[in-house]
Amino acid sequence: MTVNLATMLKEGTKKSHSMAENMGFIKCFLKGVVEKNSYRKLAANLYFVYGAMEEEMERLKDHPLIKPIYFPELNRQPSLAKDLQFFYGSNWKNEIEITPHGQAYVDRIREIAQNSPELFAAHSYTRYLGDLSGGQILKNIAQKAMNLDSEGTAFYEFETIDDEKAFKTEYRQSLNDLPVDQETADRIVQEANDAFGMNMKMFQELEGNLIMAIGKMLFNTLTTRRRRNQNNEGEFVTAE
């Protein structure tokens, strides 16, 4: 039995997607307020998160529930390593550390890889399709806000994917090709919502640094008015 898992994920995570976009950290980002110290801490967290995801997917690449969504060209940890070297310098590996909520995210990825690989699609979908959907827009915002030139935003670049729209179509079809039943698909959607929650907790950890940098008054001004940024994709943090 096959299910339309891609559509289920899109529809089933709409509320979580909207909640993530309305986090203070993300609202400020989308309005062009990006504080460098907070941003590099986020990049460090993501380095560990993607490292766990990509290591486990490599290990499980022949598993029937991983193989259809195993696309090494999506890997983000090498790109994040370039960005972290730019922000922290040559000793970056000794400079970065993961936050408590970042570690909880990593622990969950390791746990499902060990015990419930059928749920791995939730984390792959939540992160990678969001990266593809809003990458260029977010890259432009980050470059402008932090006065960057050609370095510091490799995370948003998919050099080996020529047509990102076509690739997303292929990726969604791969999700639909996963041999899962309705019950498992429902569990994958729930795990995707949990993944959004873990991302939001990471953003909350960074808001303190952002507020210290820009001031509570400006932060409140930027975040009190609700703003929806939809690209009709339903994936993670994107901008118009």
Side-chain angles (χ1 to χ4, degrees):
M1 177 181 177
T2 59
V3 297
N4 194 330
L5 181 58
T7 299
M8 285 183 62
L9 282 164
K10 176 182 176 181
E11 296 299 320
T13 59
K14 277 186 175 180
K15 183 177 179 180
S16 294
H17 185 246
S18 178
M19 290 172 63
E21 287 181 337
N22 282 282
M23 295 289 295
F25 183 87
I26 297 301
K27 276 191 168 185
C28 288
F29 195 115
L30 294 175
K31 292 179 181 179
V33 178
V34 186
E35 190 269 321
K36 189 172 290 187
N37 189 47
S38 300
Y39 182 85
R40 69 178 190 169
K41 286 180 180 292
L42 174 61
N45 261 356
L46 293 177
Y47 174 82
F48 292 109
V49 168
Y50 281 99
M53 285 180 57
E54 288 157 12
E55 181 181 318
E56 295 295 354
M57 290 192 78
E58 177 66 27
R59 183 174 66 83
L60 296 168
K61 63 183 179 181
D62 293 322
H63 190 287
L65 294 171
I66 302 295
K67 188 174 182 178
I69 57 170
Y70 175 70
F71 294 99
E73 56 265 49
L74 288 173
N75 286 0
R76 295 292 84 203
Q77 194 186 45
S79 299
L80 284 160
K82 292 180 183 178
D83 291 342
L84 290 168
Q85 183 169 2
F86 170 77
F87 286 115
Y88 286 94
S90 59
N91 195 39
W92 65 272
K93 284 189 176 181
N94 294 319
E95 295 286 334
I96 65 171
E97 59 182 4
I98 193 168
T99 64
H101 285 304
Q103 186 61 56
Y105 196 172
V106 167
D107 291 344
R108 179 57 180 167
I109 289 169
R110 299 291 190 190
E111 179 186 354
I112 66 167
Q114 187 66 35
N115 301 314
S116 306
E118 69 274 11
L119 300 181
F120 219 98
H123 292 273
S124 177
Y125 167 89
T126 302
R127 290 255 37 121
Y128 291 126
L129 238 58
D131 298 335
L132 284 167
S133 296
Q136 286 304 304
I137 293 172
L138 297 178
K139 173 185 174 181
N140 291 337
I141 292 173
Q143 286 180 330
K144 184 176 180 179
M146 293 186 286
N147 295 315
L148 302 177
D149 188 10
S150 59
E151 293 184 286
T153 54
F155 172 63
Y156 303 109
E157 299 168 4
F158 291 84
E159 296 180 350
T160 61
I161 298 177
D162 294 328
D163 187 335
E164 293 180 3
K165 184 177 181 180
F167 187 91
K168 286 193 294 182
T169 299
E170 178 184 359
Y171 187 90
R172 292 190 190 96
Q173 185 58 52
S174 297
L175 286 171
N176 291 335
D177 289 340
L178 289 176
V180 297
D181 57 20
Q182 187 64 48
E183 180 183 358
T184 303
D186 289 337
R187 291 173 58 222
I188 292 171
V189 173
Q190 181 57 55
E191 184 69 22
N193 281 303
D194 291 344
F196 272 97
M198 286 181 268
N199 277 284
M200 286 187 276
K201 287 178 180 178
M202 287 199 307
F203 295 143
Q204 282 180 320
E205 288 178 312
L206 298 171
E207 284 184 4
N209 290 325
L210 179 60
I211 291 170
M212 283 193 296
I214 69 174
K216 184 70 173 178
M217 185 177 296
L218 177 57
F219 180 82
N220 287 341
T221 299
L222 291 168
T223 60
T224 49
R225 178 179 293 182
R226 183 176 175 84
R227 177 188 177 189
R228 287 181 63 84
N229 294 281
Q230 296 288 352
N231 72 340
N232 297 318
E233 294 288 350
E235 290 106 22
F236 192 57
V237 185
T238 57
E240 293 175 312

